[in-house]
Amino acid sequence: MNFAKRAIAGIARKQGKTLIFLVIIFVLGNIIAGAVSIRLAVTNAQRVLSYKMSPVASLGFDTEKYSALLEKNPELEAEAVSLETLGEIGASPYVKYFDYSARLVVSSSTLTGGRADPFFESSNFFEFIGVNNPELVDLKEELIQLVSGRVFTEQETKDLEYVALVPQEIAEMNNLTIGSVITFECGFSYDTGKRRPYDFEIVGIYKAKTMTEEFKDGIYAPNKVLKEMNDLANREVLKDPNISEEDYQSIVETFRIYYTTLFILNDPMDLEAFREETAALVPAYYTVTVASNNLEKLEAPLQSIREVTTLVLYLAVVAAVLTMSLLITLFLRDRRQEVGIYLSLGERKFKVAGQILVEVAVVALIAITLSLFTGNALSGVISEQMLADQMLADQAHESQYSPGDYAYRYQGATSAEQLAEAYTISLNMTTVVLFYAIGFATVCVSVLLPIFYITRLNPKKILMGGEL
Amino acid sequence: MSLVTVSEVNYFYADGDSRRYILKDISCEFERGKLYAILGESGSGKTTFLSLLAALDKPKSGKVLYETQDISSIGFEKFRRNKIGIVFQAYNLIPYMTAAENIKVAMSITDNKLPKDINEVAYNLLDYIGLDKAKADRTVNKLSGGEQQRVAIARALATNVDVVLADEPTGNLDEDMENEIIAILQKLAHEHNKCVIVVTHSTQIANQADTVFKLRKGKLEPYER
């Protein structure tokens, strides 16, 4: 009957006390297990989000600031950023991929599956996404997946080659394959008959993976082609005798081709350095917008949950330590005589303490193991509701970018839905190890007071009372 | 040769500047093979004296020697573990354990060399003091007072010690049971060469003891029967 066997006998034969102790540890264990699971799920979700959130930066013109200054100084001029400057920024060592993109909306009288456009009261419009980098950054960053065919060649992006990558859905709807030729019409006349037709050869068919909804049916084509189509459309407008000079200028301004930029950095930690470096190269009123701003917003509900669960975890551990310490000490007071007997028999105090520790640890092991499963399951239900409430409360997921911006696609790739998807409560090894570590650390701290109590016990006083 | 020697032991409680002596200048010797009885009225210091012999307390001055070694140099805990067995008036058995388990607890604590099969030793010991296997396997709170005291005596012997100390071992027992316990204690001293020291009110034990001392006003005196 060494101290460990005595401990087991104590557990088995003092069933009432064992049960009370088991229930208390189980209840507290559930709270701790829940808090641990939620914290790990939050950490995991944040990691998943930051993986999904590419270190994206975009160059934008600060219209608000410029307009404000323009009111004070009507002669204020703003210089546009040149393609050369963009190239220089793109060559920065911080940058992994760089591209700039024109966007152009065209119609097609031969293809089906286009979008409605309220301006033209038609339902067959397609959006072109301009590409300068033949590697196709969206493909590299896995926003899309190539189903068949290929990406553009260097030559196709430099020369005026009418080639396109179309979405799988449109290809299937129109029985298109690699090598098929599709026709679009482009022009700014309200008379569709006056629009110029353009034939594109399909070189690739893609499927959107994580791209935001607005771009899922976009057609990739070289920027150069889109610019040419836009310029020709402008010239068509110029030729139209029905258009006045004033209207023409307005149309040219409205339909001028814009490029939006995209810089994918090697490391999200470089975003600030990149922002500083870029600010020195670009003309006044241009700013670098980074996607991490949005990540912070997206992470806000997670952060709230993390703070709540951290508090709950600390409180539960403190409550567990206090409750268990007092309970064990109380139970020990009932067993003073037993401890006195061991001490009178010459048992070493550390072994008596060891017996108490084993008794507590075995019951705790059972209770902790049970609460690991129940706490994990309960925390799943509770925290998902908390997350949903938080997301509802923090509806601040507006993008840092405008929908026309290239980087907007990347912004949309990490949506609130993905946040919910990334947030999963699971019983993985980290949860189990961390929970057992916290559980047993709590048990060890809880037995300190009872052990101190044991060291103060005097067997003479216990067994011989106050007798002389 | 004496096994336990008490040399000029004093025990007192300090009360401000004054001292209230419980034991004063006590010296005596205890040998193997003898049953000693220490008589005294309530409050005479019998239990204190036994607690000093049992290393449950320290004398304020003086020494208790085991063979020739001061028990404080052996270490009180170690002394209790390996050199003595104690029998209490209130038995002091672990209530949720069986009689045999109570014996085995003591055997697991001592550093003394014991036979390998401690189960067999425990049952044999209990059988020797009059408890069969059925009773040996009962939890002790299901045994009578006399049976529990037998278990306590068996526990004191289980660690193969030479000194058995008993504090009013028959105090809670009826006369028949008292005689049986006295017989066991005598047997331990005379047949097993143990040094058995009993503190008691019982004149019956005193009558059966080989040597009797009486504690009076803190002094230990030989008692003439």
Side-chain angles (χ1 to χ4, degrees):
Chain A
M1 288 296 276
N2 59 25
F3 74 94
K5 284 183 182 168
R6 295 199 304 259
I8 301 301
I11 294 167
R13 294 177 200 176
K14 291 173 171 288
Q15 290 168 354
K17 284 175 186 171
T18 301
L19 193 65
I20 291 171
F21 205 56
L22 188 86
V23 168
I24 287 173
I25 300 179
F26 176 71
V27 171
L28 291 166
N30 268 297
I31 300 170
I32 295 173
V36 168
S37 300
I38 292 171
R39 273 180 60 84
L40 286 175
V42 165
T43 307
N44 191 49
Q46 285 176 319
R47 200 175 63 237
V48 169
L49 284 177
S50 54
Y51 281 153
K52 285 187 175 174
M53 180 72 76
S54 305
V56 178
S58 176
L59 200 59
F61 187 77
D62 191 343
T63 321
E64 260 181 53
K65 191 177 174 186
Y66 179 70
S67 304
L69 290 170
L70 198 62
E71 274 180 27
K72 291 175 192 167
N73 178 13
E75 289 179 12
L76 188 72
E77 283 186 11
E79 185 192 339
V81 64
S82 68
L83 291 179
E84 288 72 29
T85 305
L86 289 181
E88 199 180 332
I89 298 167
S92 160
Y94 296 126
V95 177
K96 183 166 69 170
Y97 302 118
F98 151 67
D99 206 358
Y100 55 92
S101 174
R103 281 174 69 188
L104 192 66
V105 178
V106 296
S107 63
S108 175
S109 52
T110 53
L111 287 179
T112 56
R115 293 184 216 162
D117 189 323
F119 185 70
F120 288 109
E121 292 176 352
S122 166
S123 62
N124 218 23
F125 282 83
F126 297 86
E127 178 157 18
F128 271 105
I129 301 168
V131 170
N132 194 61
N133 185 342
E135 284 188 298
L136 213 58
V137 179
D138 290 354
L139 184 67
K140 288 277 179 192
E141 288 294 295
E142 297 184 346
L143 264 68
I144 61 166
Q145 178 189 346
L146 202 58
V147 178
S148 62
R150 58 171 176 83
V151 292
F152 304 121
T153 62
E154 184 90 35
Q155 199 174 350
E156 283 167 345
T157 56
K158 281 182 179 164
D159 298 344
L160 201 61
E161 302 267 358
Y162 286 80
V163 284
L165 262 81
V166 296
Q168 188 178 25
E169 206 174 295
I170 289 172
E172 284 172 357
M173 211 179 282
N174 296 283
N175 291 324
L176 302 175
T177 54
I178 303 300
S180 298
V181 174
I182 47 178
T183 306
F184 298 98
E185 293 90 31
C186 180
F188 301 121
S189 169
Y190 295 105
D191 180 356
T192 51
K194 287 188 175 178
R195 290 186 197 165
R196 183 189 285 268
Y198 296 93
D199 290 339
F200 282 80
E201 183 194 345
I202 296 174
V203 295
I205 296 172
Y206 77 89
K207 190 168 77 178
K209 280 176 79 182
T210 57
M211 203 191 291
T212 186
E213 201 60 40
E214 294 97 311
F215 295 94
K216 279 187 175 173
D217 57 356
I219 295 169
Y220 290 94
N223 276 331
K224 197 154 193 174
V225 169
L226 302 185
K227 186 174 184 305
E228 176 68 11
M229 288 164 75
N230 191 73
D231 289 352
L232 278 175
N234 278 340
R235 282 200 286 275
E236 295 295 333
V237 173
L238 190 64
K239 281 181 194 167
D240 192 331
N242 298 324
I243 305 283
S244 67
E245 179 63 20
E246 194 180 329
D247 286 347
Y248 171 72
Q249 286 302 338
S250 166
I251 290 167
V252 165
E253 184 59 32
T254 307
F255 298 106
R256 195 176 76 185
I257 197 121
Y258 285 98
Y259 294 105
T260 60
T261 55
L262 177 75
F263 303 95
I264 308 274
L265 306 194
N266 291 303
D267 189 338
M269 304 306 287
D270 293 337
L271 278 166
E272 275 313 307
F274 174 74
R275 197 205 295 260
E276 279 176 30
E277 185 187 85
T278 307
L281 297 173
V282 294
Y285 313 113
Y286 276 90
T287 55
V288 177
T289 313
V290 295
S292 59
N293 300 352
N294 224 44
L295 178 63
E296 282 165 19
K297 279 188 179 178
L298 206 57
E299 282 182 338
L302 290 176
Q303 203 53 41
S304 305
I305 291 174
R306 174 192 276 273
E307 282 164 14
V308 170
T309 49
T310 302
L311 186 67
V312 169
L313 180 63
Y314 290 152
L315 288 177
V317 168
V318 170
V321 167
L322 287 177
T323 313
M324 284 164 65
S325 289
L326 293 174
L327 204 67
I328 299 165
T329 309
L330 215 64
F331 286 166
L332 268 182
R333 277 181 66 83
D334 281 352
R335 294 172 68 182
R336 280 174 84 239
Q337 195 184 16
E338 183 185 341
V339 174
I341 293 167
Y342 295 135
L343 296 177
S344 75
L345 291 171
E347 182 62 300
R348 296 161 176 93
K349 283 185 174 171
F350 79 84
K351 285 195 177 175
V352 180
Q355 178 181 340
I356 302 304
L357 183 64
V358 171
E359 282 188 29
V360 175
V362 169
V363 176
L365 179 70
I366 298 166
I368 284 172
T369 305
L370 291 174
S371 60
L372 177 66
F373 295 101
T374 53
N376 192 269
L378 282 173
S379 65
V381 177
I382 294 166
S383 64
E384 273 163 26
Q385 187 56 49
M386 279 167 73
L387 185 64
D389 291 348
Q390 282 292 329
M391 281 164 62
L392 208 64
D394 297 356
Q395 280 188 343
H397 303 301
E398 301 92 21
S399 174
Q400 296 287 302
Y401 309 107
S402 65
D405 202 321
Y406 197 157
Y408 183 83
R409 274 172 260 180
Y410 289 79
Q411 194 75 54
T414 313
S415 62
E417 287 72 30
Q418 278 174 315
L419 164 64
E421 197 180 300
Y423 181 81
T424 49
I425 297 273
S426 64
L427 253 187
N428 54 33
M429 189 52 83
T430 317
T431 312
V432 173
V433 170
L434 191 64
F435 178 58
Y436 275 107
I438 292 174
F440 280 100
T442 307
V443 167
C444 289
V445 175
S446 303
V447 295
L448 288 179
L449 176 68
I451 284 172
F452 176 71
Y453 173 76
I454 288 171
T455 61
R456 306 285 298 168
L457 288 178
N458 178 342
K460 182 193 167 192
K461 282 187 183 160
I462 299 168
L463 302 179
M464 293 177 163
E467 285 182 46
L468 296 175
Chain B
M1 185 195 163
S2 71
L3 184 62
V4 178
T5 306
V6 178
S7 173
E8 294 176 354
V9 162
N10 284 290
Y11 194 91
F12 54 81
Y13 291 111
D15 185 8
D17 289 341
S18 64
R19 290 171 173 179
R20 189 163 70 88
Y21 277 88
I22 309 299
L23 302 171
K24 194 161 189 183
D25 292 330
I26 290 184
S27 295
C28 57
E29 293 182 349
F30 301 96
E31 294 174 9
R32 285 176 203 271
K34 280 191 172 181
L35 172 63
Y36 294 89
I38 297 166
L39 292 173
E41 291 166 5
S42 293
S44 61
K46 298 189 301 292
T47 300
T48 302
F49 184 60
L50 193 80
S51 70
L52 298 181
L53 294 177
L56 290 170
D57 207 346
K58 284 182 201 170
K60 301 294 179 187
S61 66
K63 288 176 185 171
V64 177
L65 306 174
Y66 181 82
E67 293 175 327
T68 54
Q69 203 177 357
D70 188 342
I71 62 168
S72 62
S73 69
I74 296 172
F76 280 16
E77 214 174 70
K78 192 174 176 185
F79 178 73
R80 292 201 298 271
R81 192 160 60 236
N82 302 328
K83 304 295 183 192
I84 59 158
I86 314 174
V87 180
F88 298 94
Q89 181 179 354
Y91 327 128
N92 285 333
L93 300 171
I94 297 162
Y96 59 84
M97 289 188 186
T98 65
E101 284 170 341
N102 268 278
I103 310 294
K104 286 188 272 182
V105 165
M107 292 167 89
S108 71
I109 289 172
T110 187
D111 303 322
N112 292 342
K113 198 162 184 176
L114 299 173
K116 263 192 174 175
D117 192 350
I118 63 164
N119 270 320
E120 199 182 330
V121 174
Y123 287 118
N124 287 344
L125 260 174
L126 288 167
D127 188 51
Y128 179 73
I129 51 115
L131 286 181
D132 58 22
K133 191 169 184 302
K135 286 185 176 171
D137 286 333
R138 278 188 206 162
T139 51
V140 289
N141 52 15
K142 288 181 184 158
L143 298 175
S144 70
E147 286 167 338
Q148 287 193 47
Q149 197 59 295
R150 284 162 196 262
V151 176
I153 294 170
R155 183 181 63 188
L157 295 171
T159 52
N160 197 21
V161 291
D162 290 327
V163 182
V164 175
L165 303 169
D167 181 19
E168 299 279 14
T170 58
N172 292 347
L173 305 177
D174 61 31
E175 200 177 327
D176 288 346
M177 203 55 76
E178 183 178 17
N179 288 332
E180 283 182 29
I181 296 298
I182 293 168
I184 292 170
L185 295 173
Q186 273 186 317
K187 207 168 154 185
L188 293 179
H190 300 150
E191 291 180 16
H192 297 279
N193 202 30
K194 306 284 181 193
C195 171
V196 182
I197 304 168
V198 182
V199 297
T200 182
H201 280 105
S202 166
T203 48
Q204 207 170 342
I205 295 182
N207 290 336
Q208 302 292 321
D210 300 308
T211 304
V212 182
F213 293 105
K214 182 150 188 175
L215 264 170
R216 197 198 312 263
K217 293 180 181 172
K219 297 276 188 183
L220 191 69
E221 300 164 349
Y223 180 75
E224 298 299 326
R225 282 169 283 193

